[in-house]
Amino acid sequence: MDFLLLLKLDGRLIPWQALFDLAKLSDGQRLLITNSSGGVGSLAVQLAKTMGAHVAAMGSAPTEACIRGLGADEFIDYSSSVSRT
């Protein structure tokens, strides 16, 4: 079973379509993902990093460790004006 088929079976094809079919994301591009700790956002962070993108991820302070664990290059706390690299 290939990766795309697994995404379809799991019902999480939306991030794949947004990143690759619509935005044509490729290696080296920079990307901001909001709500990065949610179901769709967390998958988007992982997919973008797998393709070699630089990911800035937005979320709340308590989710920072989780979001960084997904591979985000930068974390932006939406309740603060400070970005942490």
Side-chain angles (χ1 to χ4, degrees), residues 17-71:
Q17 290 171 323
L19 293 173
F20 305 115
D21 295 344
L22 297 174
K24 308 291 187 213
L25 184 68
S26 62
D27 184 34
Q29 288 183 307
R30 297 176 64 86
L31 178 69
L32 169 66
I33 299 174
T34 60
N35 193 20
S36 299
S37 64
V40 173
S42 62
L43 184 55
V45 170
Q46 294 172 79
L47 289 171
K49 284 305 297 178
T50 299
M51 293 303 291
H54 177 94
V55 176
M58 187 177 287
S60 62
T63 64
E64 181 175 0
C66 173
I67 291 171
R68 288 193 179 276
L70 296 172

